[in-house]
């Protein structure tokens, strides 16, 4: 149970600035996920919160207390490392009990806490084993157990599942979500994995080059990306972008001319755009639909059938476009296709890459993970 | 010796090639070992047989050993050797572990340079600093003391010990130490509970090497000690000067001098090889 605030946090290694002024508010019991491309500073930011790296500038507050000069063990948080970082020469029980041993907790109490954590994580039969004799998933659980026994207010996870195979990852993901509920703790989680981010987060923090691009619920990020980077980063496959020209502005939104001459009205705030300016239109592959009368067209370059869905990679005048279609579409490679989209699904980005604000918020944009648990009938 | 492992490594080679390689390995081992063998054999000869034409065939006798024993206490020198070799090793490890920790885990721009510079001091011929060290030792009363010898040996081995420990520590995953820090370990606890147990093979082989180097050292022991603190190397040397050259006695004394370290080395050879090739084969 703890809150976390970062104020204008900066980290420099020598002359290179790696974290460039990060502000963040994490509420009690929130599950916050850091995502971003490799090297953007996710681990560095997390290590600064943990106290393993010092802050060059700015403040780290936990429960309102400035923690910059407090040692890692005294910040009331625990970290699970990507490599697990178990102590190879200690048994599972000793691994989990190490922090208490250092703190001089009596043996019986230590044992009880270790057993409790082992119960939560189903590690009881393995307590006397050495890490060497465990599978990847079991090691992961021991690493989590080591964090749990410290009873931290904040859990930090740095890509904890990236060394596991796909099936185990799904299982651990579910287990972590369950754990979050059971432990009532604040969790901060770094991942590369879109699905982990979308499914586990209350709040996603998109980092890029040491800067926070956007903070929001998964659905807010998906439906209302603040800029082109977030639009391209969240969602898989990646959003398609076309250059379009502003043909008119009205109360409905911005009228744009698509490549190929078609027009549509995107329902966004046009107060910042000028007549005849060139903008970028973004539309997700799953929001494009095959339509013989559609305004866009091209030739299929690659076709990937996944069973339930088919991905079409279409060469158009505006570049390569990805389209997610039904699993049963009858097209083949090199077939010409036409397609269109619902303009309310489209996004417009100005020359700086900033998104024009939607005139109408998506109904799910303010949805939190908690809301998923409430049945629609019970909702007011 | 580790040479005998050769056939294992080339298990899939042609039998003839394998045989040749084995023969070669044994020959090299024999050439290296021959002087020691010859010394041991000579120790069991009579003085006349020892200076006669070299021969493997002779009637072994303990005559020389008895003579050596009768003359002066082997034990006194041996005790000095043990004290000095282990004392200096302990002191070197005590200094080197914190240094290597700092260099491996908290490196600065100058760490690499410092390491190389430390090693470069080993290129200086020791005789170059004999006079200053002798004078200093004389003035502070360290001549012919074990403490003095321990200090000199510690300084002599420190560069190698730091360097070796540094490479072992570098191989240790940093995450584990950070996990320890998150768990509340102080720097000392981090070293004591995590670093030392996990790098023990490396520390052991480093210590062993330091013991061996100190044990066999003759230059400083001959120049800085005379009787009280003289180790076994001085004991051997004492057989060549006052009584002329008595090959058999000299050999017997040498055999007795190297026997303990040879046995120690033999008992720990697995550990040694593992330590010295740690990181290279992982
Ligand atoms: N100790 C360090 N010294 C110098 N530069 C560093 C150090 N640690 C990290 N960096 C640099 O900081 C940047 C951010 O690194 P960081 O590990 O935080 O990235 P990341 O977002 O976690 O990437 P990944 O997804 O690959 O784990 C990188 O460019 C990295 O090279
Ligand atoms: Mg990282």
């Amino acid at each position: 149970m703890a809150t976390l605030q970062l104020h204008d946090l900066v980290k420099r290694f020598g002359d290179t600035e790696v974290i460039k002024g990060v502000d963040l508010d994490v509420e009690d019991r929130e599950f916050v996920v850091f995502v971003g491309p490799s090297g953007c500073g996710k681990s560095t930011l997390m290590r600064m919160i943990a106290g393993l790296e010092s802050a060059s500038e700015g403040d780290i507050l936990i429960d309102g207390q400035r923690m910059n000069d407090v040692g890692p063990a005294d910040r009331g948080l625990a970290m699970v490392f990507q490599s697990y970082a178990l102590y190879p020469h200690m048994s599972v029980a000793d691994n989990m009990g190490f922090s208490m041993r250092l703190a001089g907790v009596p043996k019986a109490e230590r044992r009880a806490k270790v057993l409790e954590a082992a119960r939560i994580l189903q590690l009881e039969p393995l307590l006397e084993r050495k890490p060497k004799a465990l599978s990847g998933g079991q090691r992961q659980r021991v690493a989590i157990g080591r964090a749990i026994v410290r009873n931290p207010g904040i859990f930090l996870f740095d890509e904890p599942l990236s060394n596991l195979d796909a099936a185990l990852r799904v299982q651990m993901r579910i287990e972590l979500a369950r754990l979050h509920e059971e432990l009532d703790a604040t969790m901060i989680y770094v991942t590369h994995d879109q699905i982990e981010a979308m499914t586990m987060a209350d709040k996603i923090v998109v980092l890029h080059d040491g800067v926070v691009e956007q903070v929001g619920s998964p659905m807010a990020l998906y439906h209302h990306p603040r800029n082109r980077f977030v639009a391209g980063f969240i969602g898989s496959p990646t959003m398609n972008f076309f250059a379009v020209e502003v043909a008119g502005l009205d109360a409905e939104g911005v009228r744009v001319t698509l490549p190929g001459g078609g027009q549509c009205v995107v329902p966004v705030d046009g107060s910042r755009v000028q007549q005849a300016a060139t903008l970028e239109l973004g539309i997700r592959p799953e929001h494009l639909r095959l339509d013989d009368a559609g305004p866009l067209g091209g030739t299929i370059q690659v076709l990937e059938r996944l069973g339930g869905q088919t991905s079409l990679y279409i060469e158009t005048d505006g570049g390569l476009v990805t389209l997610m279609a039904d699993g049963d579409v009858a097209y083949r490679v090199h077939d010409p296709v036409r397609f269109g989209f619902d303009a309310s699904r489209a996004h417009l980005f100005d020359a700086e890459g900033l998104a024009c604000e939607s005139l109408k918020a998506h109904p799910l944009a303010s949805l939190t993970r908690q809301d998923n648990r409430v049945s629609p009938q019970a909702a007011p | 010796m580790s040479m005998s492992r050769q056939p294992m490594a080339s298990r899939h080679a042609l039998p003839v090639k394998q045989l040749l390689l084995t023969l070669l390995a044994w020959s090299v081992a024999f050439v290296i070992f021959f002087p020691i063998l010859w010394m041991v054999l000579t120790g069991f000869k009579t003085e006349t047989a020892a200076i006669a034409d070299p021969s493997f065939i002779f009637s072994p006798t303990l005559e020389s050993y008895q003579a050596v024993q009768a003359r002066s206490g082997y034990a006194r020198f041996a005790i000095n050797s043990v004290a000095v070799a282990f004392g200096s090793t302990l002191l070197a490890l005590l200094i080197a572990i914190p240094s290597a920790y700092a260099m491996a885990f908290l490196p600065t721009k100058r760490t690499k340079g410092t390491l190389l510079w430390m090693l470069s001091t080993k290129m200086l011929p020791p005789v170059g600093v004999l006079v200053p060290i002798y004078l200093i030792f004389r003035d502070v009363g360290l001549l012919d003391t074990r403490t003095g010898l321990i200090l000199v040996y510690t300084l002599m081995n420190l560069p190698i010990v730091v360097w070796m420990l540094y490479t072992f520590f570098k191989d240790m995953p940093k995450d584990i130490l950070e996990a320890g820090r998150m768990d509340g370990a102080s720097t000392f606890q981090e070293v004591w509970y995590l670093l030392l147990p996990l790098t023990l093979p490396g520390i052991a082989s480093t210590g062993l090497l330091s013991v061996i180097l100190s044990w066999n050292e003759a230059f400083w022991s001959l120049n800085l000690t005379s009787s009280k603190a003289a180790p076994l190397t001085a004991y051997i040397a004492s057989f060549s000067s006052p009584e002329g050259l008595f090959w058999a006695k000299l050999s017997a004394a040498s055999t007795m001098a190297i026997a303990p370290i040879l046995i120690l080395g033999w008992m720990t050879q697995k550990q040694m090889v593992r330590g010295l090739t740690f990181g290279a084969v992982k």
Side-chain angles (χ1 to χ4, degrees):
Chain A
M1 269 154 284
T3 63
L4 170 75
Q5 272 126 30
L6 305 180
H7 289 319
D8 216 358
L9 210 55
V10 173
K11 178 70 192 179
R12 275 183 291 264
F13 289 112
D15 296 334
T16 38
E17 206 168 65
V18 173
I19 300 292
K20 304 169 183 168
V22 166
D23 284 292
L24 185 68
D25 259 304
V26 177
E27 278 159 46
D28 187 25
R29 291 176 214 188
E30 209 167 24
F31 199 115
V32 176
V33 174
F34 292 174
V35 291
S38 193
C40 68
K42 305 181 293 290
S43 299
T44 306
L45 188 56
M46 175 158 281
R47 291 167 55 81
M48 287 166 82
I49 298 170
L52 293 172
E53 300 289 356
S54 62
S56 306
E57 274 171 40
D59 300 311
I60 299 166
L61 294 115
I62 295 174
D63 276 335
Q65 302 273 348
R66 189 166 183 277
M67 287 290 172
N68 291 45
D69 306 316
V70 176
D74 303 320
R75 295 188 177 194
L77 36 77
M79 180 152 168
V80 175
F81 291 78
Q82 175 173 359
S83 60
Y84 316 135
L86 299 179
Y87 311 127
H89 57 306
M90 297 184 196
S91 68
V92 167
D94 289 344
N95 259 281
M96 295 204 281
F98 187 59
S99 59
M100 292 185 285
R101 179 167 151 213
L102 292 176
V105 174
K107 217 165 184 172
E109 192 183 333
R110 236 150 72 190
R111 187 80 197 156
K113 275 209 171 167
V114 166
L115 280 175
E116 166 69 8
R119 185 194 56 75
I120 296 174
L121 295 163
Q122 287 129 41
L123 283 171
E124 284 131 319
L126 307 176
L127 280 176
E128 295 316 316
R129 290 220 200 143
K130 291 272 171 67
K132 204 168 47 198
L134 300 176
S135 72
Q138 289 165 340
R139 283 178 206 181
Q140 181 62 71
R141 281 211 287 272
V142 176
I144 296 172
R146 196 168 59 179
I148 288 179
V149 294
R150 300 196 46 219
N151 209 1
I154 303 178
F155 282 85
L156 305 174
F157 297 92
D158 192 353
E159 308 204 34
L161 308 186
S162 59
N163 288 337
L164 303 179
D165 66 43
L168 205 53
R169 217 181 298 187
V170 173
Q171 190 193 328
M172 286 304 295
R173 206 167 74 208
I174 295 167
E175 215 159 304
L176 277 174
R178 180 179 64 82
L179 214 60
H180 180 228
E181 213 170 320
E182 185 165 345
L183 296 174
D184 260 344
T186 308
M187 292 191 173
I188 298 178
Y189 190 102
V190 168
T191 183
H192 266 117
D193 188 310
Q194 288 264 334
I195 300 180
E196 278 173 31
M198 296 301 273
T199 55
M200 301 172 80
D202 292 313
K203 187 146 98 186
I204 294 180
V205 178
V206 182
L207 282 166
H208 181 210
D209 255 348
V211 170
V212 173
E213 295 282 353
Q214 189 171 1
V215 178
S217 73
M219 287 304 109
L221 261 56
Y222 179 86
H223 292 293
H224 300 296
R226 209 171 64 83
N227 56 33
R228 215 204 111 140
F229 177 81
V230 176
F233 193 79
I234 299 287
S236 169
T238 325
M239 188 181 275
N240 298 298
F241 296 99
F242 313 102
V244 295
E245 197 171 293
V246 177
L249 303 163
D250 53 41
E252 319 275 80
V254 180
R255 174 174 297 279
V256 294
T257 312
L258 299 170
Q263 289 204 334
C264 68
V265 178
V266 182
V268 295
D269 172 26
S271 55
R272 282 187 303 117
V273 301
Q274 323 234 298
Q275 186 72 21
T278 303
L279 299 180
E280 245 182 330
L281 180 141
I283 180 83
R284 297 193 184 279
E286 54 271 37
H287 296 148
L288 285 174
R289 52 169 194 268
L290 294 167
D291 176 1
D292 289 337
L296 297 164
T299 332
I300 298 176
Q301 292 286 305
V302 178
L303 191 143
E304 291 173 347
R305 292 189 183 278
L306 304 173
Q309 286 174 319
T310 302
S311 317
L312 307 181
Y313 298 91
I314 303 165
E315 186 67 45
T316 70
D317 297 340
L320 196 69
V321 169
T322 316
L323 185 154
M324 295 296 280
D326 191 71
D328 301 333
V329 288
Y331 287 102
R332 290 160 196 243
V333 174
H334 300 314
D335 281 353
V337 284
R338 293 209 69 77
F339 55 95
F341 55 89
D342 175 354
S344 69
R345 294 290 207 178
H347 308 265
L348 281 182
F349 303 97
D350 65 16
E352 279 88 59
L354 275 183
C356 301
E357 212 169 306
S358 289
L359 290 174
K360 211 170 107 219
H362 191 277
L364 295 183
S366 59
L367 189 78
T368 67
R369 229 160 35 98
Q370 315 303 323
D371 297 334
N372 283 333
R373 303 207 192 98
V374 184
S375 67
Q377 292 92 323
Chain B
M1 303 211 137
S2 65
M3 299 290 184
S4 60
R5 292 171 70 93
Q6 200 72 20
M8 283 255 306
S10 51
R11 200 163 27 196
H12 301 295
L14 289 172
V16 178
K17 195 178 158 198
Q18 187 182 325
L19 192 74
L20 284 176
L21 273 175
T22 312
L23 273 175
L24 184 71
W26 277 101
S27 323
V28 170
F30 187 72
V31 169
I32 293 171
F33 183 62
F34 186 77
I36 297 171
L37 176 70
W38 195 250
M39 178 190 78
V40 174
L41 289 178
T42 308
F44 287 105
K45 290 179 181 176
T46 58
E47 255 348 303
T48 18
I51 51 167
D53 284 341
S55 161
F56 281 99
I57 300 145
F58 61 95
S59 47
T61 164
L62 286 175
E63 212 174 82
S64 309
Y65 282 91
Q66 279 153 0
V68 165
Q69 259 320 96
R71 208 198 70 161
S72 59
Y74 166 84
R76 192 164 53 85
F77 292 94
I79 288 170
N80 281 339
S81 267
V82 169
V84 169
F86 283 89
S88 68
T89 297
L90 224 61
L91 187 58
L93 285 176
L94 226 56
I95 299 169
I97 287 173
S99 329
Y101 174 91
M103 289 179 178
F105 300 113
L106 307 162
T108 66
K109 284 196 292 278
R110 290 185 194 83
T111 297
K112 267 266 140 67
T114 311
L115 270 168
L116 282 171
W117 170 76
M118 271 173 31
L119 215 58
S120 75
T121 62
K122 295 292 298 175
M123 293 166 197
L124 182 79
V127 71
V129 287
L130 175 62
V131 174
I133 289 199
Y134 187 89
L135 294 179
I136 293 170
F137 269 40
R138 188 194 60 193
D139 291 351
V140 296
L142 282 174
L143 282 180
D144 202 18
T145 61
R146 286 184 202 160
T147 317
L149 218 46
I150 286 176
L151 281 179
V152 170
Y153 285 179
T154 301
L155 291 173
M156 170 181 88
N157 289 335
L158 212 45
I160 292 173
V161 172
V162 171
W163 183 283
M164 277 179 75
L165 288 182
Y166 169 79
T167 56
F168 291 125
F169 289 178
K170 264 241 124 31
D171 277 346
M172 163 113 184
K174 231 180 155 174
D175 283 4
I176 292 179
L177 295 182
E178 286 178 346
R181 225 176 309 155
M182 296 289 308
D183 268 348
S186 62
T187 304
F188 176 78
Q189 286 171 321
E190 212 176 285
V191 171
W192 184 251
Y193 288 116
L194 303 175
L195 184 65
L196 293 190
L198 289 172
T199 53
L200 198 59
I203 293 172
S205 55
T206 308
L208 223 58
L209 187 71
S210 163
V211 167
I212 291 171
L213 288 175
S214 302
W215 188 279
N216 293 334
E217 205 287 329
F219 176 77
W220 291 110
S221 64
L222 289 179
N223 283 300
L224 296 181
T225 66
S226 51
S227 58
K228 264 189 8 255
L232 284 170
T233 38
Y235 173 69
I236 299 175
S238 73
F239 280 88
S240 62
S241 33
E243 313 188 1
L245 273 182
F246 294 97
W247 283 117
K249 289 194 194 67
L250 187 64
S251 297
S254 301
T255 306
M256 281 166 73
I258 65 162
I261 204 75
L262 215 60
I263 292 167
L264 183 71
W266 181 72
M267 283 191 314
T268 52
Q269 67 164 288
K270 250 211 184 110
Q271 190 69 259
M272 281 281 280
V273 171
R274 191 174 147 205
L276 292 172
T277 56
F278 188 72
V281 284
K282 200 160 65 169

